[in-house]
Amino acid sequence: METIDILKKVRKIEIKTRGLSQNIFAGEYHSAFKGRGMAFSEVREYQFGDDVRDIDWNVTARFHRPYIKVFEEERELTVMLLIDVSGSLDFGTTRQMKRELTTEIAATLAFSAIQNNDKIGVIFFSDRIEKYIPPKKGRKHILYIIREMLDFHPESYKTDIGMAMEYLTSVMKRRCTAFVLSDFYDNKNLEPTFDHTFEIANRKHDVVAIQVYDPLAKSLPNIGLMKVRDAETGHETFIDTSSSKLRKAHTRYWMQRQETLTRTFTKSNVDWVSVATNEDYAKSLLLLFKQRA
């Protein structure tokens, strides 16, 4: 992609997603994602009903009457975006590709975060860690992230979500809020291989999963023979979509996958939302934020 085309796309995404984060998500984001703890603010004289565990004994001894430590929420967060860059994201049958939807959602989250003075970092992953961008603040940093998302070329087209979660746990020493953006096609089996790693990561961090999908994954149209290609393996085959049995099996497979994902995230205590490429992702994110508030 030419540099001038990338800059135009970056600017277009910034205008759209920054507007969303300012006008829609400003208060909701702040309420949904808390600070990392309580920071010391000041000392004041003890009042009836105060917790005696908060007494500052050094100040109390100096003034010969009880004083307590006052704490306030430490609001600043570190936000990590774990972005799936595997081959299956390069697919779309409606107004945009799954990769394009992922980029817009990530940009919206990033602009929402900097309004709260939060740091933003990124982990691009396939079946390996493709790139790690350490957390920083500011618009310039976010524009760099968006540019990378638009023009990033992964070394691998396969997916290993569990590996990405393990990397998050090891590289982030302090608690962070981590958004995992993926279609969650981790392997060809119904049972995911990343449930245990999500559980471990969510004990240390606040993990949120955002699934992006194309409507074709849910139901096949009746259009006769269709050539399909696995973006991660390159395997090609023909399927007969005029077969009602095939279409039902396809829908059943989708429902089973969604049920399995629901069990996985519920067990790991991970909040998650599912967004189709033909849907308004702003509504889905707003619902997710309100559920967490």
Side-chain angles (χ1 to χ4, degrees), residues 80-85 89 101-107 109 123 125 149 178-184 208-212 285:
M80 290 301 300
L81 303 174
L82 280 77
I83 300 176
D84 186 347
V85 292
L89 274 290
L101 175 61
T102 298
T103 300
E104 284 198 20
I105 292 173
L109 292 170
I123 297 170
F125 71 92
M149 286 191 287
F179 294 96
V180 187
L181 292 93
S182 174
D183 55 11
F184 292 97
V208 180
I210 300 177
Q211 180 194 27
V212 296
L285 288 183

Side-chain angles (χ1 to χ4, degrees), residues 213-235:
Y213 71 94
D214 187 272
L216 201 66
K218 189 183 290 188
S219 61
L220 285 173
N222 183 356
I223 56 172
L225 278 178
M226 178 190 289
K227 187 179 183 180
V228 293
R229 179 178 180 274
D230 189 314
E232 299 196 4
T233 65
H235 177 71

Side-chain angles (χ1 to χ4, degrees), residues 45-103:
E45 281 196 60
Y46 177 86
Q47 297 173 1
F48 178 75
D50 286 336
D51 192 333
V52 294
R53 290 173 295 184
D54 292 335
I55 291 177
D56 187 321
W57 294 107
N58 289 331
V59 178
T60 296
R62 193 181 313 147
F63 290 99
H64 306 291
R65 55 182 183 273
Y67 276 78
I68 67 161
K69 295 177 182 178
V70 178
F71 296 85
E72 61 183 20
E73 184 185 11
E74 196 173 9
R75 201 8 260 177
E76 182 182 298
L77 289 172
T78 296
V79 176
M80 290 301 300
L81 303 174
L82 280 77
I83 300 176
D84 186 347
V85 292
S86 62
S88 62
L89 274 290
D90 289 319
F91 180 78
T93 60
T94 58
R95 63 189 182 195
Q96 62 184 167
M97 300 279 228
K98 287 188 282 184
R99 191 177 306 284
E100 293 169 334
L101 175 61
T102 298
T103 300

Side-chain angles (χ1 to χ4, degrees), residues 59-285:
V59 178
T60 296
R62 193 181 313 147
F63 290 99
H64 306 291
R65 55 182 183 273
Y67 276 78
I68 67 161
K69 295 177 182 178
V70 178
F71 296 85
E72 61 183 20
E73 184 185 11
E74 196 173 9
R75 201 8 260 177
E76 182 182 298
L77 289 172
T78 296
V79 176
M80 290 301 300
L81 303 174
L82 280 77
I83 300 176
D84 186 347
V85 292
S86 62
S88 62
L89 274 290
D90 289 319
F91 180 78
T93 60
T94 58
R95 63 189 182 195
Q96 62 184 167
M97 300 279 228
K98 287 188 282 184
R99 191 177 306 284
E100 293 169 334
L101 175 61
T102 298
T103 300
E104 284 198 20
I105 292 173
T108 302
L109 292 170
F111 279 117
S112 297
I114 63 164
Q115 286 188 68
N116 284 280
N117 204 34
D118 298 337
K119 293 179 181 177
I120 305 287
V122 178
I123 297 170
F124 290 116
F125 71 92
S126 54
D127 63 346
R128 65 193 72 180
I129 300 303
E130 297 279 355
K131 185 165 187 171
Y132 168 60
I133 302 175
K136 288 183 182 178
K137 295 181 183 181
R139 173 177 173 270
K140 185 178 179 181
H141 181 61
I142 289 177
L143 295 181
Y144 165 66
I145 289 171
I146 295 171
R147 189 169 69 246
E148 284 294 295
M149 286 191 287
L150 286 171
D151 199 40
F152 190 80
H153 301 286
E155 292 183 11
S156 174
Y157 291 102
K158 297 181 180 180
T159 317
D160 188 339
I161 297 170
M163 173 276 310
M165 301 310 296
E166 288 175 357
Y167 183 78
L168 170 73
T169 305
S170 65
V171 78
M172 297 303 295
K173 302 305 179 185
R174 300 187 70 177
R175 182 175 174 83
C176 73
T177 295
F179 294 96
V180 187
L181 292 93
S182 174
D183 55 11
F184 292 97
Y185 281 108
D186 187 59
N187 58 4
K188 298 304 170 189
N189 301 316
L190 278 175
E191 294 301 320
T193 58
F194 48 82
D195 49 347
H196 184 58
T197 53
F198 257 88
E199 200 169 346
I200 292 172
N202 201 42
R203 286 179 198 155
K204 182 178 179 183
H205 305 293
D206 180 11
V207 180
V208 180
I210 300 177
Q211 180 194 27
V212 296
Y213 71 94
D214 187 272
L216 201 66
K218 189 183 290 188
S219 61
L220 285 173
N222 183 356
I223 56 172
L225 278 178
M226 178 190 289
K227 187 179 183 180
V228 293
R229 179 178 180 274
D230 189 314
E232 299 196 4
T233 65
H235 177 71
E236 293 181 345
T237 189
F238 284 91
I239 59 173
D240 185 7
T241 62
S242 63
S243 166
S244 61
K245 185 177 180 182
L246 175 76
R247 295 197 305 274
K248 286 177 183 176
H250 180 83
T251 300
R252 187 164 58 249
Y253 173 75
W254 164 262
M255 292 175 68
Q256 286 177 292
R257 278 196 75 250
Q258 293 305 100
E259 288 171 4
T260 304
L261 282 176
T262 299
R263 285 197 302 271
T264 297
F265 294 136
T266 301
K267 181 184 175 185
S268 306
N269 201 28
V270 167
D271 292 320
W272 75 298
V273 68
S274 190
V275 188
T277 53
N278 63 344
E279 290 179 346
D280 180 2
Y281 67 85
K283 290 181 180 177
S284 299
L285 288 183

